[in-house]
Amino acid sequence: MQEQQLYEYAVIRVVPRVEREEFVNAGIILFCKKTKYVDCRIALPTEKLQCFSPGIDLDFIRQNLLAFEKIALGDRLSSSPIAQLDAPSRFRWLTATRSTVIQCSKVHPGLTADLSIAMEKLLHEMVL
């Protein structure tokens, strides 16, 4: 039997109009300190997003989510200095509270024997 791993995750949200505080879940970021594991999955529900904000610039949102994902995964080819940080620093920076179009929920804990299965489960439960 595999050892249970403690992990933390947050739901990535798109907030088309920050002043209204309405959001659409668009992905998951998951972090395990013990294994230095960080994963990020994006699944942008464009139809739902366009219901909230019919004139939203989807290309702009996609570009920002792609940058978010590159930082989370530590893409060394990225021009972002944040992407060059260690896994815990990237996770904490991305999940910090902010008032922007791309935000994260509060960080939640979990336990799993398989981090990739936990990621898929969270993605299906929270986003898809």
Side-chain angles (χ1 to χ4, degrees):
M1 184 171 165
Q2 282 187 319
E3 176 185 352
Q4 293 285 307
Q5 301 289 330
L6 176 64
Y7 66 89
E8 298 173 78
Y9 76 93
V11 180
I12 303 164
R13 300 170 170 168
V14 176
V15 186
R17 294 181 54 196
V18 177
E19 69 276 9
R20 290 183 58 160
E21 298 184 10
E22 298 170 333
F23 61 86
V24 175
N25 291 345
I28 300 288
I29 181 169
L30 187 142
F31 167 66
C32 177
K33 181 179 178 180
K34 184 175 182 180
T35 62
K36 298 178 183 169
Y37 175 94
V38 177
D39 196 4
C40 179
R41 303 279 174 84
I42 304 295
L44 184 63
T46 55
E47 289 180 16
K48 193 183 289 188
L49 197 53
Q50 287 175 319
C51 288
F52 275 82
S53 184
I56 194 163
D57 184 347
L58 291 174
D59 287 334
F60 176 75
I61 299 298
R62 283 187 188 100
Q63 288 173 2
N64 281 279
L65 288 170
L66 179 61
F68 189 100
E69 186 176 36
K70 284 182 176 184
I71 291 169
L73 300 175
D75 183 351
R76 299 291 179 205
L77 301 176
S78 170
S79 61
S80 169
I82 306 300
Q84 310 306 314
L85 297 175
D86 64 351
S89 298
R90 291 192 319 270
F91 181 77
R92 297 288 173 236
W93 189 87
L94 288 168
T95 58
T97 302
R98 57 181 50 97
S99 180
T100 61
V101 175
I102 307 296
Q103 300 179 9
C104 284
S105 70
K106 293 183 188 237
V107 175
H108 306 282
L111 278 175
T112 186
D114 189 321
L115 294 165
S116 60
I117 290 174
M119 169 56 92
E120 290 301 321
K121 183 178 176 190
L122 288 167
L123 187 66
H124 285 282
E125 287 178 2
M126 303 293 194
V127 181
L128 302 176

